[in-house]
Amino acid sequence: MTDSVPAEGTAPEAGPADWLTLPDVAERLDLTISKVHQLIRDRELIAVRRDGVRRIPADLVANRTVLKHLPGVLNLLADAGYDDEAALRWLYEPDASLPGGTPAAALAGDQAREIKRRAQALGF
């Protein structure tokens, strides 16, 4: 995991609209904080530092569960050499060919197989 500090004069990057802290995720998923840390270590969730605090995009934690296909996509991106920041950028990069406009939004819909295929192709 990396600290993220935007360079001066750069435009803000596209990304999730809402963030959750790890205690918020633990409460939402009805888990202990140590289990949330384990989910992050196991690449079932992605967390990045924002303002010095580890945060998780809120839309990746749907209702009381992690998006079903997120762990598979995160592992494919890691296999392709993406760190957490790069994986987050990829998940939220605008793509007009996807419903919802980003891989993250499409992953929450019925396009999970397409998102996995695209993530897998990055490794080649």
Side-chain angles (χ1 to χ4, degrees), residues 9-47:
T10 59
E13 295 180 15
D18 294 316
W19 295 89
L20 298 171
T21 62
L22 301 191
D24 293 338
V25 172
E27 184 178 327
R28 183 176 281 195
L29 298 177
D30 195 27
L31 299 172
T32 64
I33 192 72
S34 57
K35 179 61 178 168
V36 173
H37 286 279
Q38 185 66 44
L39 291 172
I40 294 166
R41 278 192 301 274
D42 292 344
R43 293 195 192 285
E44 294 182 34
L45 272 175
I46 186 170

Side-chain angles (χ1 to χ4, degrees), residues 12-19 50 57-59 88-94 102 104:
E13 295 180 15
D18 294 316
W19 295 89
R50 294 292 184 261
D59 53 348
L88 184 74
R89 278 191 302 275
W90 185 85
L91 283 167
Y92 288 94
E93 186 169 323
T102 66

Side-chain angles (χ1 to χ4, degrees), residues 23-114:
D24 293 338
V25 172
E27 184 178 327
R28 183 176 281 195
L29 298 177
D30 195 27
L31 299 172
T32 64
I33 192 72
S34 57
K35 179 61 178 168
V36 173
H37 286 279
Q38 185 66 44
L39 291 172
I40 294 166
R41 278 192 301 274
D42 292 344
R43 293 195 192 285
E44 294 182 34
L45 272 175
I46 186 170
V48 293
R49 287 200 188 273
R50 294 292 184 261
D51 301 321
V53 178
R54 290 174 81 182
R55 299 179 190 270
I56 295 171
D59 53 348
L60 298 181
V61 183
N63 302 320
R64 300 186 67 72
T65 62
V66 173
L67 288 182
K68 181 179 178 181
H69 299 282
L70 180 64
V73 170
L74 292 176
N75 280 306
L76 289 167
L77 292 172
D79 290 347
Y82 283 58
D83 65 10
D84 290 346
E85 286 287 343
L88 184 74
R89 278 191 302 275
W90 185 85
L91 283 167
Y92 288 94
E93 186 169 323
D95 186 335
S97 70
L98 293 171
T102 66
L107 193 60
D110 60 355
Q111 293 293 313
R113 184 172 289 158
E114 173 64 12

